[in-house]
Amino acid sequence: MTVQKLSRAARIILVGAPGVGKGTQTERLMKKFPELSSISSGDLLRKNVRERTPLGIQAESKMKAGALVPDSMILRLIVNELSTLGWIRDSTLRPYAVYSSSFAEGDMTVDSVSIPSSIKTAKYTYSDHPDASFILDGFPRTANQAVQLNDIVPINMVVSIDTPAEIIIDRICNRWVHAPSGRVYNTTFNPPKVEGKDDITGEPLTRRADDDPEVWKQRLKSFKENNEPLLEHYDRAGLLLTVSGKSSDEITPQIFNEFGKRFGVPVPEVIGGL
Ligand code: AP5
Ligand code: MG
């Protein structure tokens, strides 16, 4: 695979049912376009659960039940991450410890707060340099989250991945993850080189707590409830690309093609015989 450079900052969102392949497509996009980085809302939440932060402890029961965590919680987490990575900057120069994702002991319960006023009043700036390109995997997933994000940093492409649910459920039962990095494997589709071990670090792979067929059905239900208003929001803004297919291998070339057209530096054609 030839890698391609970006001509401007891409700020892209991947939307789709649980297990549709958002993480898989993110990894592929980052290999093809190395200037891209990613944030997965699910991975960030799972990190907080593993580290037993107050936010993680609150999120855990929602995640295990297949429900969404509150908008305020996920927004704080994402804004903190975007700031830490330097992709947005609060131009009022408020120290971003205010939004720390690993909330200190005694921090007020996140359920009880609405969007933190520090986020509401802050004015964010962002760069259009290709280095400031990112993929958000799994955020926003409600129209409200999308509106809040738009006030912080405007997204310039939204990819909705559409695969029939009966195909997805089989994958979930075979998924293994490298929890620290979020790398995903599947015992039939993309098995690790050594069974049970991450290809890059050799560390053990684990199963996700919410990869149980009953929980997956709940996750699908909450996805269906929220997805239509979310897609309508982005369709109205003229940002939506829907890609359909039964496998990631059908979907990847469609995303690469459209993404490359919008953000890639054109690759010079090789002239035959030269
Ligand atoms: P999150 O971690 O985002 O889970 P999800 O949306 O349910 O999506 P998944 O990560 O399960 O699937 P994926 O689309 O990334 O698929 P993957 O590439 O792994 O969120 C978890 C929870 O956190 C939520 O339920 C919620 O509680 C909370 N949360 C997160 N964001 C939130 C937000 N914004 N607001 C509120 N709450 C939030 O692929 C799946 C499997 O299939 C893998 O094993 C892969 O190898 C395999 N695979 C991929 N393609 C193929 C193929 N073509 N053929 C066979 N197998 C394939
Ligand atoms: Mg994922």
Side-chain angles (χ1 to χ4, degrees):
M1 178 175 51
T2 47
V3 302
Q4 213 177 332
K5 285 185 78 67
L6 302 179
S7 57
R8 62 191 173 106
R11 294 181 288 271
I12 164 173
I13 293 173
L14 294 188
V15 182
V20 76
K22 299 182 292 292
T24 304
Q25 299 298 342
T26 298
E27 280 179 34
R28 291 177 176 188
L29 271 163
M30 290 198 301
K31 276 195 192 131
K32 173 84 181 159
F33 302 93
E35 286 156 302
L36 280 172
S37 306
S38 79
I39 299 178
S40 153
S41 53
D43 286 350
L44 273 181
L45 286 166
R46 282 184 286 277
K47 179 166 181 272
N48 276 267
V49 171
R50 272 200 312 280
E51 293 174 357
R52 309 308 298 156
T53 68
L55 183 148
I57 291 166
Q58 279 191 62
E60 190 173 25
S61 56
K62 296 265 181 207
M63 294 173 77
K64 274 198 174 142
L68 293 187
V69 306
D71 288 351
S72 56
M73 180 190 277
I74 197 74
L75 196 77
R76 290 171 77 149
L77 210 51
I78 297 281
V79 168
N80 175 66
E81 195 69 10
L82 289 169
S83 311
T84 306
L85 295 169
W87 298 337
I88 59 170
R89 207 174 294 276
D90 177 354
S91 57
T92 56
L93 291 180
R94 219 177 302 266
Y96 56 60
V98 174
Y99 325 123
S100 171
S101 64
S102 301
F103 296 132
E105 286 297 333
D107 189 19
M108 68 178 118
T109 55
V110 181
D111 254 336
S112 65
V113 293
S114 56
I115 304 304
S117 56
S118 48
I119 291 181
K120 264 193 199 155
T121 53
K123 291 261 174 294
Y124 293 95
T125 56
Y126 53 90
S127 161
D128 258 322
H129 192 275
D131 280 353
S133 296
F134 57 80
I135 305 172
L136 297 181
D137 159 1
F139 175 88
R141 63 176 88 188
T142 66
N144 181 43
Q145 290 177 9
V147 171
Q148 304 286 345
L149 178 66
N150 195 50
D151 288 343
I152 296 164
V153 59
I155 293 308
N156 48 22
M157 184 174 181
V158 177
V159 178
S160 167
I161 308 173
D162 187 21
T163 296
E166 55 286 4
I167 292 180
I168 301 177
I169 190 152
D170 285 343
R171 303 177 181 177
I172 292 296
C173 305
N174 298 325
R175 172 161 64 183
W176 289 83
V177 294
H178 177 244
S181 68
R183 275 186 287 278
V184 283
Y185 299 90
N186 191 289
T187 45
T188 55
F189 170 66
N190 60 338
K193 288 178 188 142
V194 178
E195 194 184 322
K197 300 270 197 280
D198 176 46
D199 285 354
I200 310 286
T201 63
E203 288 168 347
L205 302 177
T206 51
R207 300 273 301 150
R208 261 172 53 175
D210 58 356
D211 272 353
D212 160 279
E214 285 313 307
V215 179
W216 180 79
K217 282 180 194 155
Q218 277 309 312
R219 285 158 60 201
L220 186 67
K221 185 167 169 272
S222 99
F223 166 76
K224 286 183 172 163
E225 282 163 9
N226 289 294
N227 197 47
E228 213 175 282
L230 178 70
L231 294 190
E232 273 168 15
H233 172 88
Y234 283 124
D235 201 19
R236 273 198 302 274
L239 296 172
L240 183 62
L241 169 76
T242 300
V243 286
S244 306
K246 288 189 178 156
S247 112
S248 300
D249 293 336
E250 282 173 40
I251 285 173
T252 305
Q254 300 180 57
I255 301 182
F256 279 8
N257 184 25
E258 195 55 40
F259 182 83
K261 270 196 234 159
R262 295 188 196 192
F263 298 102
V265 172
V267 185
E269 277 184 34
V270 179
I271 301 168
L274 286 181

PDB file of all heavy atoms in Angstrom, residues 162-177:
ATOM      1  N   ASP A 162     -22.228   1.385   6.962  1.00  0.00           N
ATOM      2  CA  ASP A 162     -23.505   0.680   7.018  1.00  0.00           C
ATOM      3  C   ASP A 162     -23.318  -0.783   6.601  1.00  0.00           C
ATOM      4  O   ASP A 162     -22.988  -1.070   5.451  1.00  0.00           O
ATOM      5  CB  ASP A 162     -24.458   1.426   6.047  1.00  0.00           C
ATOM      6  CG  ASP A 162     -25.861   0.893   6.130  1.00  0.00           C
ATOM      7  OD1 ASP A 162     -26.196   0.273   7.152  1.00  0.00           O
ATOM      8  OD2 ASP A 162     -26.617   1.083   5.160  1.00  0.00           O
ATOM      9  N   THR A 163     -23.485  -1.681   7.581  1.00  0.00           N
ATOM     10  CA  THR A 163     -23.372  -3.131   7.324  1.00  0.00           C
ATOM     11  C   THR A 163     -24.526  -3.809   8.054  1.00  0.00           C
ATOM     12  O   THR A 163     -24.842  -3.421   9.183  1.00  0.00           O
ATOM     13  CB  THR A 163     -22.009  -3.658   7.863  1.00  0.00           C
ATOM     14  OG1 THR A 163     -20.964  -3.039   7.139  1.00  0.00           O
ATOM     15  CG2 THR A 163     -21.865  -5.164   7.737  1.00  0.00           C
ATOM     16  N   PRO A 164     -25.174  -4.821   7.430  1.00  0.00           N
ATOM     17  CA  PRO A 164     -26.317  -5.454   8.093  1.00  0.00           C
ATOM     18  C   PRO A 164     -25.959  -6.029   9.474  1.00  0.00           C
ATOM     19  O   PRO A 164     -24.891  -6.632   9.650  1.00  0.00           O
ATOM     20  CB  PRO A 164     -26.711  -6.585   7.130  1.00  0.00           C
ATOM     21  CG  PRO A 164     -26.125  -6.203   5.809  1.00  0.00           C
ATOM     22  CD  PRO A 164     -24.892  -5.398   6.104  1.00  0.00           C
ATOM     23  N   ALA A 165     -26.905  -5.847  10.426  1.00  0.00           N
ATOM     24  CA  ALA A 165     -26.655  -6.247  11.817  1.00  0.00           C
ATOM     25  C   ALA A 165     -26.354  -7.740  11.942  1.00  0.00           C
ATOM     26  O   ALA A 165     -25.520  -8.142  12.758  1.00  0.00           O
ATOM     27  CB  ALA A 165     -27.871  -5.881  12.676  1.00  0.00           C
ATOM     28  N   GLU A 166     -27.009  -8.576  11.109  1.00  0.00           N
ATOM     29  CA  GLU A 166     -26.792 -10.024  11.284  1.00  0.00           C
ATOM     30  C   GLU A 166     -25.348 -10.418  10.923  1.00  0.00           C
ATOM     31  O   GLU A 166     -24.831 -11.423  11.406  1.00  0.00           O
ATOM     32  CB  GLU A 166     -27.834 -10.855  10.534  1.00  0.00           C
ATOM     33  CG  GLU A 166     -28.055 -10.659   9.063  1.00  0.00           C
ATOM     34  CD  GLU A 166     -28.809  -9.396   8.649  1.00  0.00           C
ATOM     35  OE1 GLU A 166     -29.149  -8.546   9.501  1.00  0.00           O
ATOM     36  OE2 GLU A 166     -29.039  -9.255   7.434  1.00  0.00           O
ATOM     37  N   ILE A 167     -24.697  -9.611  10.119  1.00  0.00           N
ATOM     38  CA  ILE A 167     -23.285  -9.901   9.804  1.00  0.00           C
ATOM     39  C   ILE A 167     -22.409  -9.466  10.973  1.00  0.00           C
ATOM     40  O   ILE A 167     -21.453 -10.140  11.346  1.00  0.00           O
ATOM     41  CB  ILE A 167     -22.871  -9.157   8.508  1.00  0.00           C
ATOM     42  CG1 ILE A 167     -23.613  -9.784   7.329  1.00  0.00           C
ATOM     43  CG2 ILE A 167     -21.363  -9.192   8.302  1.00  0.00           C
ATOM     44  CD1 ILE A 167     -23.330  -9.181   5.997  1.00  0.00           C
ATOM     45  N   ILE A 168     -22.787  -8.337  11.581  1.00  0.00           N
ATOM     46  CA  ILE A 168     -21.930  -7.784  12.633  1.00  0.00           C
ATOM     47  C   ILE A 168     -21.894  -8.687  13.866  1.00  0.00           C
ATOM     48  O   ILE A 168     -20.840  -8.880  14.468  1.00  0.00           O
ATOM     49  CB  ILE A 168     -22.409  -6.375  13.049  1.00  0.00           C
ATOM     50  CG1 ILE A 168     -22.384  -5.438  11.849  1.00  0.00           C
ATOM     51  CG2 ILE A 168     -21.532  -5.830  14.150  1.00  0.00           C
ATOM     52  CD1 ILE A 168     -22.898  -4.049  12.159  1.00  0.00           C
ATOM     53  N   ILE A 169     -23.020  -9.252  14.232  1.00  0.00           N
ATOM     54  CA  ILE A 169     -23.053  -9.995  15.514  1.00  0.00           C
ATOM     55  C   ILE A 169     -22.053 -11.155  15.532  1.00  0.00           C
ATOM     56  O   ILE A 169     -21.424 -11.416  16.544  1.00  0.00           O
ATOM     57  CB  ILE A 169     -24.480 -10.433  15.902  1.00  0.00           C
ATOM     58  CG1 ILE A 169     -24.473 -10.962  17.333  1.00  0.00           C
ATOM     59  CG2 ILE A 169     -25.059 -11.442  14.929  1.00  0.00           C
ATOM     60  CD1 ILE A 169     -25.758 -10.813  18.068  1.00  0.00           C
ATOM     61  N   ASP A 170     -21.842 -11.791  14.375  1.00  0.00           N
ATOM     62  CA  ASP A 170     -20.863 -12.889  14.334  1.00  0.00           C
ATOM     63  C   ASP A 170     -19.457 -12.391  14.665  1.00  0.00           C
ATOM     64  O   ASP A 170     -18.667 -13.089  15.288  1.00  0.00           O
ATOM     65  CB  ASP A 170     -20.822 -13.502  12.924  1.00  0.00           C
ATOM     66  CG  ASP A 170     -22.044 -14.360  12.670  1.00  0.00           C
ATOM     67  OD1 ASP A 170     -22.710 -14.734  13.654  1.00  0.00           O
ATOM     68  OD2 ASP A 170     -22.334 -14.642  11.489  1.00  0.00           O
ATOM     69  N   ARG A 171     -19.151 -11.181  14.216  1.00  0.00           N
ATOM     70  CA  ARG A 171     -17.803 -10.657  14.444  1.00  0.00           C
ATOM     71  C   ARG A 171     -17.525 -10.416  15.916  1.00  0.00           C
ATOM     72  O   ARG A 171     -16.411 -10.625  16.397  1.00  0.00           O
ATOM     73  CB  ARG A 171     -17.637  -9.288  13.781  1.00  0.00           C
ATOM     74  CG  ARG A 171     -17.906  -9.256  12.330  1.00  0.00           C
ATOM     75  CD  ARG A 171     -17.775  -7.820  11.888  1.00  0.00           C
ATOM     76  NE  ARG A 171     -18.043  -7.706  10.475  1.00  0.00           N
ATOM     77  CZ  ARG A 171     -18.056  -6.560   9.839  1.00  0.00           C
ATOM     78  NH1 ARG A 171     -17.826  -5.436  10.495  1.00  0.00           N
ATOM     79  NH2 ARG A 171     -18.294  -6.523   8.550  1.00  0.00           N
ATOM     80  N   ILE A 172     -18.576  -9.933  16.593  1.00  0.00           N
ATOM     81  CA  ILE A 172     -18.399  -9.536  17.987  1.00  0.00           C
ATOM     82  C   ILE A 172     -17.950 -10.722  18.840  1.00  0.00           C
ATOM     83  O   ILE A 172     -17.121 -10.585  19.735  1.00  0.00           O
ATOM     84  CB  ILE A 172     -19.735  -8.956  18.519  1.00  0.00           C
ATOM     85  CG1 ILE A 172     -20.026  -7.639  17.828  1.00  0.00           C
ATOM     86  CG2 ILE A 172     -19.765  -8.803  20.009  1.00  0.00           C
ATOM     87  CD1 ILE A 172     -19.008  -6.573  18.136  1.00  0.00           C
ATOM     88  N   CYS A 173     -18.506 -11.896  18.518  1.00  0.00           N
ATOM     89  CA  CYS A 173     -18.175 -13.088  19.302  1.00  0.00           C
ATOM     90  C   CYS A 173     -16.715 -13.492  19.095  1.00  0.00           C
ATOM     91  O   CYS A 173     -16.145 -14.216  19.906  1.00  0.00           O
ATOM     92  CB  CYS A 173     -19.097 -14.240  18.909  1.00  0.00           C
ATOM     93  SG  CYS A 173     -20.821 -13.789  19.062  1.00  0.00           S
ATOM     94  N   ASN A 174     -16.101 -13.049  17.980  1.00  0.00           N
ATOM     95  CA  ASN A 174     -14.726 -13.451  17.682  1.00  0.00           C
ATOM     96  C   ASN A 174     -13.717 -12.329  17.886  1.00  0.00           C
ATOM     97  O   ASN A 174     -12.585 -12.429  17.466  1.00  0.00           O
ATOM     98  CB  ASN A 174     -14.628 -13.916  16.218  1.00  0.00           C
ATOM     99  CG  ASN A 174     -15.503 -15.120  15.949  1.00  0.00           C
ATOM    100  OD1 ASN A 174     -15.657 -15.958  16.826  1.00  0.00           O
ATOM    101  ND2 ASN A 174     -16.090 -15.196  14.767  1.00  0.00           N
ATOM    102  N   ARG A 175     -14.173 -11.225  18.491  1.00  0.00           N
ATOM    103  CA  ARG A 175     -13.253 -10.080  18.626  1.00  0.00           C
ATOM    104  C   ARG A 175     -12.352 -10.221  19.852  1.00  0.00           C
ATOM    105  O   ARG A 175     -12.785 -10.558  20.933  1.00  0.00           O
ATOM    106  CB  ARG A 175     -14.043  -8.776  18.745  1.00  0.00           C
ATOM    107  CG  ARG A 175     -13.130  -7.600  19.092  1.00  0.00           C
ATOM    108  CD  ARG A 175     -13.723  -6.267  18.798  1.00  0.00           C
ATOM    109  NE  ARG A 175     -14.905  -5.982  19.585  1.00  0.00           N
ATOM    110  CZ  ARG A 175     -15.624  -4.879  19.452  1.00  0.00           C
ATOM    111  NH1 ARG A 175     -15.272  -3.975  18.555  1.00  0.00           N
ATOM    112  NH2 ARG A 175     -16.683  -4.682  20.177  1.00  0.00           N
ATOM    113  N   TRP A 176     -11.077  -9.901  19.651  1.00  0.00           N
ATOM    114  CA  TRP A 176     -10.090  -9.813  20.729  1.00  0.00           C
ATOM    115  C   TRP A 176      -9.432  -8.456  20.608  1.00  0.00           C
ATOM    116  O   TRP A 176      -9.257  -7.951  19.490  1.00  0.00           O
ATOM    117  CB  TRP A 176      -9.038 -10.931  20.611  1.00  0.00           C
ATOM    118  CG  TRP A 176      -9.608 -12.276  20.946  1.00  0.00           C
ATOM    119  CD1 TRP A 176     -10.311 -13.085  20.107  1.00  0.00           C
ATOM    120  CD2 TRP A 176      -9.592 -12.931  22.209  1.00  0.00           C
ATOM    121  NE1 TRP A 176     -10.726 -14.215  20.761  1.00  0.00           N
ATOM    122  CE2 TRP A 176     -10.284 -14.145  22.067  1.00  0.00           C
ATOM    123  CE3 TRP A 176      -9.040 -12.617  23.454  1.00  0.00           C
ATOM    124  CZ2 TRP A 176     -10.461 -15.041  23.122  1.00  0.00           C
ATOM    125  CZ3 TRP A 176      -9.201 -13.512  24.502  1.00  0.00           C
ATOM    126  CH2 TRP A 176      -9.905 -14.709  24.341  1.00  0.00           C
ATOM    127  N   VAL A 177      -9.090  -7.845  21.732  1.00  0.00           N
ATOM    128  CA  VAL A 177      -8.490  -6.503  21.672  1.00  0.00           C
ATOM    129  C   VAL A 177      -7.202  -6.437  22.475  1.00  0.00           C
ATOM    130  O   VAL A 177      -7.021  -7.173  23.452  1.00  0.00           O
ATOM    131  CB  VAL A 177      -9.465  -5.408  22.202  1.00  0.00           C
ATOM    132  CG1 VAL A 177     -10.657  -5.260  21.307  1.00  0.00           C
ATOM    133  CG2 VAL A 177      -9.902  -5.684  23.633  1.00  0.00           C
TER     134      VAL A 177
END
